[in-house]
Amino acid sequence: MSTRVPIFVMLFSVLTISCILGQTDLAKSKLANGLSYKNFSYHLLLNKDYVSDEFDFTEEQTKKLRKMEAELQNFSGIEKTDPITLFRPKRNLKEELEKDYKKTDQQLLQSGSLRTKSEESYQHYLRARKILAPHQLKRFEQIMAWSDRTQKNTRFTAWSDREIHGHWELDRKQMQSLIEFVGQAERQYQKQVSEFREKQLRKIFGVLTEQQKKKYLDLIDPKREITQCNSADFDPFSIMTPGKSQIRKEARLTGEQYFRLAKIRQEFGKRLKKIKSELSKQEREHADHDIIRHELLKKEFSTKLKKLFTPEQLATIERHYLKDHLSYHGPVQSIFDPAIAARSGISMQKLKSMKQLRAKLAKDEKQKRIELTRAGFKSILKKTSKEIRGKIDKYFGEPPLFVLNRK
């Protein structure tokens, strides 16, 4: 006679086994240089868009690292509770949790341990160290010091991290002066980037009509109040992801709405996949996939979304969509987003004709970011004491490409 184990018993069992096996405490994990471990991925070693070609690996080293990279990509460890479970009807919650814990039991049998993806990444960091030569290892530790230390929307804060100041044992005056130099570099960078983007905008406005220019400037005006909206022009799937609960709270989405959105998202994904599968290889290579996505949303799903959301909720989606694009891409590249372009009166045919201009502007801005960031770090070094310069050189060295080119 079979018996069902209560869900809280399974939960307790999983947590107990996890403690026995000893999961990695990432909060206490350290790099070889003593700094706190933040994050590791094989991009920091192998991807030339991240680190240029700094390591000059041998063929044997590359082969081993690629094999380990594939292992990490295929790793299936225990996952944290998906926020979507918070919106599931209570009658399904027990069933979903049971599925999760059964999955965890299977993983335990397969791997002999319980780890999250982050914990497994840390183990790969330790393994990768063993493959590197001494001179490569020194640079790798510097790159790991850079990884995930620069705060969002800033460029130079890696050197103003308080944990690092404590590790270096800087006195209060040294710490405050370094933070001030970092702030000066940040303000100068933002000023120069804004001036550069204004020049680029003038190039864009040279190919737009006065009406299109006015509509775009009105659309992205930070003072514009968006309280209600009667059109579903902006893709909610890209901003209402499981990890972005704050937007759902601001929009006051009900659990039922969230589940209906999940179903529409699934339907949209299947339809988009079918459309792309019908393209030839050559068509797929030359197609603008953002435009394909936008046109599908407008033609087949906007009516469903207008029925799903209230005008106030659609306004929240619009606010966050614009905010996210402008924050990440800036006012120059945001004009090339199909939804934003369409609301500015730019046809998709016109947008396609601007493809070369878009590529040139992106390339120019990338080069400018690298140039200004490198100059900013040099300006900080010039102002600091010889003692602090020595510590920065030892722990960080030259900023890698992913720091110079981050948006």
Side-chain angles (χ1 to χ4, degrees), residues 30-205:
K30 299 288 184 182
L31 302 176
N33 57 23
L35 298 180
S36 296
Y37 168 84
K38 298 288 187 180
N39 178 51
F40 168 70
S41 77
Y42 284 95
H43 287 314
L44 301 176
L45 286 168
L46 298 166
N47 192 322
K48 293 182 180 180
D49 290 334
Y50 276 64
V51 289
S52 187
D53 195 14
E54 293 198 42
F55 293 103
D56 192 25
F57 290 126
T58 65
E59 186 176 336
E60 183 64 22
Q61 283 178 312
T62 302
K63 184 177 178 181
K64 288 180 180 178
L65 290 168
R66 287 295 183 195
K67 182 179 179 182
M68 290 162 60
E69 180 184 30
E71 287 178 22
L72 183 57
Q73 287 174 344
N74 295 327
F75 174 75
S76 179
I78 57 173
E79 299 173 359
K80 295 182 179 180
T81 304
D82 184 342
I84 197 172
T85 58
L86 299 175
F87 293 87
R88 288 191 175 109
K90 289 184 178 181
R91 64 179 181 273
N92 292 334
L93 183 57
K94 179 178 176 181
E95 180 184 340
E96 293 297 333
L97 287 172
E98 286 177 347
K99 286 180 181 179
D100 288 342
Y101 294 127
K102 283 178 182 177
K103 178 183 176 184
T104 299
D105 288 340
Q106 291 172 354
Q107 291 163 350
L108 176 60
L109 291 172
Q110 291 170 0
S111 65
S113 65
L114 287 170
R115 284 191 191 134
T116 64
K117 190 84 171 185
S118 297
E119 290 162 342
E120 184 69 7
S121 296
Y122 179 69
Q123 296 303 318
H124 275 259
Y125 154 68
L126 297 176
R127 289 173 60 191
R129 281 180 47 82
K130 296 177 182 178
I131 294 174
L132 307 187
H135 70 285
Q136 294 169 332
L137 195 55
K138 177 184 176 181
R139 182 55 179 156
F140 179 45
E141 288 301 314
Q142 290 178 336
I143 284 175
M144 287 296 293
W146 285 104
S147 178
D148 274 13
R149 270 201 162 76
T150 301
Q151 298 169 15
K152 186 178 180 182
N153 296 328
T154 61
R155 306 195 75 71
F156 307 102
T157 50
W159 293 350
S160 61
D161 188 316
R162 291 187 180 276
E163 182 246 339
I164 290 174
H165 293 174
H167 184 76
W168 288 347
E169 297 181 343
L170 301 185
D171 60 38
R172 187 178 184 83
K173 185 177 180 181
Q174 288 175 316
M175 182 172 66
Q176 288 179 335
S177 64
L178 185 52
I179 291 173
E180 177 57 29
F181 298 151
V182 166
Q184 290 171 4
E186 184 68 40
R187 289 189 290 275
Q188 178 69 5
Y189 172 83
Q190 295 297 344
K191 178 176 179 291
Q192 290 174 316
V193 166
S194 294
E195 291 171 352
F196 181 75
R197 285 176 172 172
E198 284 179 12
K199 293 179 182 178
Q200 286 195 311
L201 270 177
R202 286 198 286 272
K203 292 180 182 179
I204 289 175
F205 293 152

Side-chain angles (χ1 to χ4, degrees), residues 196 362-372 405:
F196 181 75
K363 181 181 178 181
D364 291 347
E365 182 173 321
K366 178 180 177 179
Q367 291 175 342
K368 194 66 175 179
R369 281 199 307 267
I370 290 173
E371 172 194 323
L372 293 177
N405 188 39

Side-chain angles (χ1 to χ4, degrees), residues 318-373:
E318 179 172 331
R319 280 199 307 272
H320 281 279
Y321 189 94
L322 292 171
K323 179 183 175 182
D324 285 2
H325 271 72
L326 289 166
S327 174
Y328 186 74
H329 298 288
V332 176
Q333 287 296 317
S334 289
I335 188 67
F336 297 104
D337 174 77
I340 294 174
R343 279 286 289 271
S344 303
I346 302 169
S347 69
M348 294 303 99
Q349 191 62 38
K350 174 70 174 178
L351 192 60
K352 290 175 184 176
S353 72
M354 296 165 65
K355 186 177 180 179
Q356 287 186 336
L357 175 61
R358 178 182 187 178
K360 185 179 186 311
L361 292 173
K363 181 181 178 181
D364 291 347
E365 182 173 321
K366 178 180 177 179
Q367 291 175 342
K368 194 66 175 179
R369 281 199 307 267
I370 290 173
E371 172 194 323
L372 293 177
T373 306

